[in-house]
Amino acid sequence: MMDVWDTQDIHNSGSAGSNMNKYSFNQISLKQYILIIFAAQVGLGELSLPHDLAITAGTDGWISILLGWILSILLSIVIIKIMDRTPEYTLFELLIKYFGKWVGKSLFVLWILYAVFAASVVMFSTIHVIKTWIVPDIRNFILMILFIIPIYMITKHGIRVIGLFAEFVFLMTIWMPFLLLLALKDSQWLYLLPLGKEGLFPILSTVKSTIFSFLGFELAFILYPFLKDKKSASKGIVIANSFSMIIYLIVTVISFVKFAPNEITEYPYPTLNLFKDIRLPFLERFEIIFLSFYLFTLIMATIPYLYTALLGASQLFGKQDHRNSLRILLFLWILLSFFFIPSSSQITQMGKLWGIAGLYSAFVFPIFIWMYGSIFHFVRKEPKQ
């Protein structure tokens, strides 16, 4: 069944040969692999990144995007190198192999909690944006229920349907950033000059903000076993990061030349303000139309992290079906939305906490596992499989 994970094979398989076939019904193409990572990266970052960069680096913030892109690519390749050593292993099995049952499970529990928190931040941030810009009078739990319906229908079917949905979302939304070219009317390119006017330190310190916006590449730990063409995993993740970098550069540079340096810091979501400034003879309030379509991207940004948590829980407890875990988590979201109505400052604080957790999960963790794995395989003299 498509609805049921092959986690029984994951839990009970005892040989590499049987492990190699355990994802035969849940494989994704290279294109789907790229688009899942891309969607997870640009979800919230496309809306808020120009504001975050302007606060610390001014109009030089676009340079930090390039530095963050380079760093994310390097760490992405480290993740692929880790998974290449034992291509038939999931992250869960790899941690058990390296650290033993209890330490390995403990590390994996931390990964599950990280994925749940990341999905929750995107979900509650989405509701906050929709309430702020479109329907301020609607109750949070109503929006939560409306968003949870498509999330449940897609996530319950597994990674193949998620991959197909990623393709659909890409086709539905790829035109949006380029429509911002209409906002270039009355722009001031002199705002970008002189380059480096804020100094080197603000640019380097702002890389932390761009790193947060590139979070999503760490999902390669989870997606790698499902990829049909594993030899192209490195190429695929470089493409995904590069797509994100291009989108970030477009929205950031246009924001910087459209708004005065002291003005952009007043807009938490400058991209929406750009669309608000677009005037067409037959259309007003263009930001509402944009945001209505962009909901597809925000939903797609939530699903990979949610699915990571469900897959982890299924593997951890040896369950064959992840749908019960999905129902429980979504019910908890609905319950939480009745009494947790985050303010703008709370949404910002949640994003900062996610950034800190992401720093360890996407940056510290891969480097540590790569170094530990190198020593592990050297000591045991195990060749790459």
Side-chain angles (χ1 to χ4, degrees), residues 25 48 67 99-100 127 129 150 176 230 240 259 267 288 300 302 335 381:
F25 297 105
S48 60
L67 298 178
F99 301 102
I127 291 174
V129 171
M176 292 181 177
K230 291 180 172 56
F259 303 121
Y267 300 143
I288 294 180
M300 187 59 225
T302 305
L335 192 62
K381 294 181 173 57

Side-chain angles (χ1 to χ4, degrees), residues 48-257:
S48 60
L49 183 61
H51 168 267
D52 299 334
L53 297 179
I55 289 177
T56 53
T59 54
D60 290 327
W62 66 271
I63 302 175
S64 300
I65 295 176
L66 298 177
L67 298 178
W69 168 65
I70 293 171
L71 185 57
S72 65
I73 284 181
L74 293 176
L75 286 160
S76 297
I77 293 175
V78 169
I79 292 175
I80 301 304
K81 294 299 182 182
I82 292 170
M83 301 306 291
D84 273 344
R85 287 185 177 133
T86 50
E88 79 285 358
Y89 279 73
T90 65
L91 178 61
F92 176 64
E93 293 169 319
L94 187 65
L95 292 176
I96 296 292
K97 176 184 176 71
Y98 282 172
F99 301 102
K101 181 178 179 180
W102 295 110
V103 175
K105 284 187 175 182
S106 298
L107 290 172
F108 203 66
V109 167
L110 293 177
W111 249 89
I112 294 172
L113 294 175
Y114 165 72
V116 169
F117 183 69
S120 300
V121 171
V122 178
M123 190 74 262
F124 280 92
S125 298
T126 298
I127 291 174
H128 176 75
V129 171
I130 296 301
K131 284 197 64 175
T132 302
W133 284 84
I134 299 181
V135 284
D137 297 327
I138 198 169
R139 300 288 296 275
N140 278 37
F141 73 89
I142 296 176
L143 287 175
M144 180 66 78
I145 293 172
L146 291 175
F147 293 149
I148 275 178
I149 292 172
I151 288 174
Y152 175 76
M153 296 301 295
I154 295 164
T155 309
K156 74 172 185 176
H157 287 293
I159 195 66
R160 289 182 68 184
V161 173
I162 293 173
L164 291 172
F165 184 64
E167 293 184 68
F168 169 77
V169 170
F170 181 77
L171 293 175
M172 286 287 293
T173 60
I174 187 58
W175 55 271
M176 292 181 177
F178 301 100
L179 199 62
L180 285 175
L181 295 175
L182 296 175
L184 285 175
K185 183 181 179 181
D186 300 324
S187 58
Q188 298 291 332
W189 289 90
L190 291 177
Y191 286 153
L192 296 177
L193 300 176
L195 295 180
K197 58 181 172 292
E198 301 293 338
L200 182 61
F201 179 75
I203 295 174
L204 295 177
S205 63
T206 307
V207 172
K208 183 171 64 175
S209 296
T210 61
I211 285 174
F212 170 65
S213 297
F214 279 103
L215 285 180
F217 65 83
E218 74 277 14
L219 293 173
F221 274 124
I222 308 301
L223 297 176
Y224 182 90
F226 304 102
L227 183 61
K228 288 181 183 178
D229 183 13
K230 291 180 172 56
K231 293 182 179 179
S232 299
S234 294
K235 177 179 70 175
I237 205 165
V238 169
I239 293 173
N241 280 289
S242 299
F243 277 174
S244 299
M245 180 269 294
I246 292 170
I247 297 299
Y248 288 150
L249 276 180
I250 290 173
V251 297
T252 299
V253 171
I254 293 178
S255 296
F256 284 174
V257 300

Side-chain angles (χ1 to χ4, degrees), residues 35-44 213 215-216 219 300-301 304-305 354:
L35 294 180
I36 290 173
I37 294 174
F38 169 67
Q41 288 182 319
V42 300
L44 292 174
S213 297
L215 285 180
L219 293 173
M300 187 59 225
Y305 284 107
W354 179 18

